[in-house]
Amino acid sequence: MLHKVTLIPGDGIGPEITEATKRALEATGIKFEWDIGIVGQGAQDKFGTPLPEQILESIKRNKVALKGPVTTPIGTGFRSVNVALRQILDLYVCLRPCKTYRGAPTPFENVDIVIVRENTEDLYIGIEFAKGTNESDKLAKLILETTQTKVREDSGFSIKAISETASRRIVKFAFEYARANNRKRVSAAHKANILKFSDGLFLATAREVAKEYTDIEFEDIVVDALCMRLARNPQQYDIIVLPNLYGDIVSDLCAGLVGGLGVAPGANIGDNIAVFEPTHGSAPKYAGQNRVNPMAMMLSAAMMLRHLGEIKAADRLEKAIAEVIAEGKRVTYDLKLDRNQPAATTSEVADAVIEKLKKQGG
């Protein structure tokens, strides 16, 4: 079967790890028709927008995309392409498995956590008011009138919005994922003890949804306590569902528990569309050096294969990656237990994974 997939190399190191991943995917024997397009700074320079309409149309048409990391300017420039994609395409689930592989540089063993992050609202909804503007002055006055709280005149504002609708569907996804993948427990993280009308709504909705899934264990936990417990005993967690900002932070924490962002895949999923991508950034200072770990994107590609129904190919690809990590010989610098040992290049990692795939046979 031929799978039509939108392929977005991205910025910085994106093109290198995308090429390595494309080679590994094709080595599984699965056939793809790639619809290649650019986003980010390259698209800004060429089309005057970091997210061209033709990319959105391609993803809508193919329903599946594989995407490299994209640079997001800090403080200035265009808003995040990643956030825009999630909001425009209503990719309301950010799915981030964090799993230990033998040979990865971590003191932990047997960690297998899935982060289910709400993707479309919270602080990342992008409603902001800059310091000293008429809009921020009006908001400060409204706050004073309605709450009798005076904020400092030199304040900027970012609005945190959490809805019952978005909370319900992300928690339902977490429970449905648990059922489909033989998972035992869902933990909902929040800060409802302080943020009673936003996180409080998320928590109340999560508790309500949990009543529909009596076969799955449920707990809720304050997010700061969650971080402490993850650092001490991550094996106690199975699936963690969180609002957007906490999910972003906790997913990187969990990636650190299993060896770093170099082995942390991800997917952004809606009702009809899924975009698969590594969770790390574009690392522009390493662009063109052929030295960055492509495994997070390869593992994201394995998630894509499962989404496409190519379960055996996905298992073969993940097994090949795991074998390369366990051997520890042809891995990039971030996976070297001894940093004095020579590290493999991006393309050499791809060669090693492809070699393992060929040894497995069909």
Side-chain angles (χ1 to χ4, degrees):
M1 181 177 179
L2 180 70
H3 296 287
K4 295 182 178 180
V5 175
T6 301
L7 184 64
I8 304 171
D11 293 326
I13 60 170
E16 298 161 65
I17 64 171
T18 299
E19 178 59 25
T21 300
K22 179 172 174 285
R23 289 173 54 209
L25 273 171
E26 291 172 345
T28 65
I30 304 300
K31 303 298 182 184
F32 296 94
E33 181 180 314
W34 302 109
D35 190 2
I36 302 175
I38 60 172
V39 299
Q41 190 59 58
Q44 179 71 41
D45 296 341
K46 186 173 182 179
F47 302 110
T49 173
L51 185 57
E53 186 62 31
Q54 56 264 38
I55 287 294
L56 294 171
E57 291 304 316
S58 173
I59 298 173
K60 290 175 183 177
R61 182 172 59 252
N62 295 323
K63 308 297 184 187
V64 178
L66 180 63
K67 175 182 162 294
V70 177
T71 301
T72 300
I74 297 177
T76 60
F78 57 81
R79 285 192 180 275
S80 167
V81 167
N82 296 330
V83 172
L85 270 174
R86 295 163 191 167
Q87 292 179 346
I88 293 170
L89 299 175
D90 199 24
L91 306 176
Y92 60 90
V93 179
C94 184
L95 188 65
R96 295 188 173 183
C98 296
K99 178 180 177 180
T100 46
Y101 292 95
R102 185 169 60 86
T106 171
F108 296 105
E109 296 180 353
N110 303 316
V111 176
D112 188 0
I113 301 170
V114 177
I115 302 297
V116 179
R117 166 189 169 193
E118 202 290 318
N119 230 358
T120 62
E121 50 181 27
D122 196 356
L123 283 166
Y124 286 16
I125 201 169
I127 300 175
E128 297 190 283
F129 302 94
K131 172 182 73 77
T133 62
N134 289 333
E135 292 80 7
S136 63
D137 290 343
K138 289 179 181 178
L139 183 56
K141 289 178 182 177
L142 176 64
I143 292 169
L144 180 60
E145 291 171 0
T146 56
T147 70
Q148 289 72 57
T149 300
K150 181 176 177 57
V151 297
R152 292 186 175 91
E153 294 181 357
D154 57 350
S155 296
F157 298 89
S158 299
I159 302 298
K160 178 185 177 84
I162 287 183
S163 69
E164 181 180 352
T165 298
S167 299
R168 184 175 302 280
R169 68 180 181 177
I170 195 66
V171 176
K172 284 185 72 70
F173 180 94
F175 277 102
E176 290 294 334
Y177 185 93
R179 277 183 176 172
N181 293 274
N182 297 314
R183 296 278 180 161
K184 304 302 182 185
R185 182 167 64 160
V186 172
S187 304
H190 60 89
K191 193 67 178 173
N193 54 327
I194 304 297
L195 303 171
K196 299 183 184 299
F197 299 126
S198 52
D199 285 30
L201 179 58
F202 174 82
L203 174 58
T205 305
R207 287 173 172 171
E208 185 179 328
V209 171
K211 295 176 183 177
E212 303 172 20
Y213 297 87
T214 56
D215 53 319
I216 306 295
E217 185 181 346
F218 173 74
E219 67 165 357
D220 62 77
I221 182 169
V222 176
V223 68
D224 43 331
L226 170 69
C227 292
M228 184 273 291
R229 293 181 187 179
L230 283 169
R232 292 177 60 84
N233 183 20
Q235 294 87 350
Q236 67 184 293
Y237 289 100
D238 191 353
I239 294 177
I240 307 174
V241 60
L242 315 91
N244 205 339
L245 176 63
Y246 308 147
D248 192 7
I249 296 168
V250 171
S251 61
D252 274 21
L253 167 59
C254 289
L257 297 175
V258 300
L261 291 172
V263 290
N268 297 288
I269 302 170
D271 289 333
N272 300 302
I273 296 172
V275 177
F276 298 85
E277 61 182 338
T279 63
H280 59 68
S282 60
K285 69 178 181 179
Y286 294 118
Q289 297 181 26
N290 192 30
R291 62 175 299 203
V292 175
N293 186 357
M295 287 180 171
M297 190 161 183
M298 290 182 179
L299 290 167
S300 302
M303 292 176 68
M304 182 185 77
L305 286 171
R306 292 191 176 96
H307 178 79
L308 292 170
E310 302 287 0
I311 307 301
K312 290 182 179 179
D315 291 344
R316 290 178 59 229
L317 179 56
E318 185 176 0
K319 180 182 177 184
I321 294 167
E323 288 175 351
V324 172
I325 295 172
E327 287 181 356
K329 297 177 181 177
R330 292 178 291 178
V331 294
T332 46
Y333 63 94
D334 57 307
L335 293 183
K336 282 291 183 181
L337 298 177
D338 181 356
R339 290 297 179 94
N340 294 319
Q341 293 181 347
T345 63
T346 305
S347 54
E348 286 171 345
V349 172
D351 293 340
V353 171
I354 292 168
E355 181 181 307
K356 295 294 184 184
L357 284 167
K358 289 179 177 177
K359 286 183 178 179
Q360 292 174 14

